[in-house]
Amino acid sequence: MARGKFITLEGGEGVGKSTNLIFLHDFLKVRNIPVVITREPGGTPLAEKLRALLLDKNGESIAATTELLLMFAARAQHIRHVIEPALAKGEWVLCDRFTDATYAYQGGARHMELSTIAWLEHLVQGSLRPDLTLLLDAPAETGLARARERRGEADRFEAEKRQFFEDVRLAYLKQAEQHPERIKIVAADRPLPDVQAALADSLSALLR
């Protein structure tokens, strides 16, 4: 059985990942491709508990190193129990964020050493990398304005200052510059039909 494809959807706050993840899922399903939707941090019962810790802004202050290690601890569980089993069965995996988010949030915004992130990436993932990463890109202020409209109380990351999200965006764009064969930038500050047409084009190219 052919191994499935691993597709990740990335971007800062308010760029439309949740809406477009459903679009991508439906795009594949109508083409009779078995697909699993998941997210990071999270995806397994233990990883979801770690997610809750990471997003809780009212709990104990989390050191940047602790945050980084918790992200990769959740990822290790996720890969072992969800991602790899699905890919091995020939299913495609659609994941809301993956390690590019770690380079953006913990690397770009928290200023953790990129070499440390790369070492953890190799330790936890081995050779596993996404086949395609779709980066929804919009100015930080645009995304934050959208996020404010839809959310209730902000979580620990959403409560950060604007500069944090500017740094996240720049780090994402740097990742795309370094991995153009894998990461496709999709301008997310356009009407939704235009965004989804661009996503469909990238997915169609992978299908071919």
Side-chain angles (χ1 to χ4, degrees):
M1 182 180 295
R3 182 176 170 85
K5 298 293 186 183
F6 183 25
I7 303 166
T8 56
L9 195 60
E10 295 281 0
E13 307 304 318
V15 294
K17 288 187 292 81
S18 298
T19 298
N20 287 301
L21 201 67
I22 295 169
F23 168 78
L24 294 171
H25 173 269
D26 293 345
F27 182 91
L28 293 172
K29 289 293 285 186
V30 299
R31 287 159 179 78
N32 297 315
I33 296 173
V35 58
V36 172
I37 286 184
T38 189
R39 68 177 182 177
E40 287 215 346
T44 78
L46 176 56
E48 289 291 334
K49 290 178 181 178
L50 294 175
R51 178 188 180 91
L53 290 173
L54 284 160
L55 299 187
D56 182 9
K57 71 174 184 179
N58 299 314
E60 179 181 343
S61 176
I62 300 177
T65 302
T66 306
E67 181 180 279
L68 177 64
L69 293 172
L70 286 173
M71 287 288 184
F72 272 105
R75 185 163 296 137
Q77 287 294 110
H78 194 203
I79 291 170
R80 171 70 180 273
H81 294 291
V82 176
I83 297 173
E84 277 294 354
L87 295 175
K89 288 190 294 185
E91 296 174 331
W92 287 36
V93 175
L94 285 174
C95 190
D96 182 347
R97 294 200 174 118
F98 194 62
T99 308
D100 290 305
T102 305
Y103 280 101
Y105 281 78
Q106 284 72 51
R110 298 279 192 233
H111 310 297
M112 297 295 295
E113 289 289 342
L114 299 186
S115 59
T116 301
I117 298 174
W119 184 85
L120 288 166
E121 180 181 28
H122 177 73
L123 174 70
V124 169
Q125 296 171 219
S127 62
L128 176 67
R129 299 294 183 277
D131 295 287
L132 172 66
T133 296
L134 298 165
L135 173 58
L136 294 170
D137 176 61
E141 186 53 44
T142 300
L144 289 172
R146 289 178 180 173
R148 284 193 293 267
E149 289 176 2
R150 62 166 169 75
R151 74 185 180 206
E153 184 181 2
D155 64 35
R156 196 172 66 85
F157 286 97
E158 292 169 341
E160 291 286 351
K161 303 284 193 241
R162 176 175 170 174
Q163 186 59 50
F164 179 90
F165 299 103
E166 298 282 4
D167 292 343
V168 165
R169 184 190 185 203
L170 289 175
Y172 265 132
L173 293 174
K174 185 173 182 179
Q175 282 290 102
E177 183 181 327
Q178 293 173 342
H179 305 283
E181 73 293 342
R182 173 176 64 83
I183 302 177
K184 306 305 177 185
I185 300 173
V186 176
D189 54 349
R190 298 178 290 171
L192 184 59
D194 295 343
V195 173
Q196 293 182 339
L199 292 172
D201 285 346
S202 292
L203 216 51
S204 296
L206 182 62
L207 284 166
R208 290 193 294 270

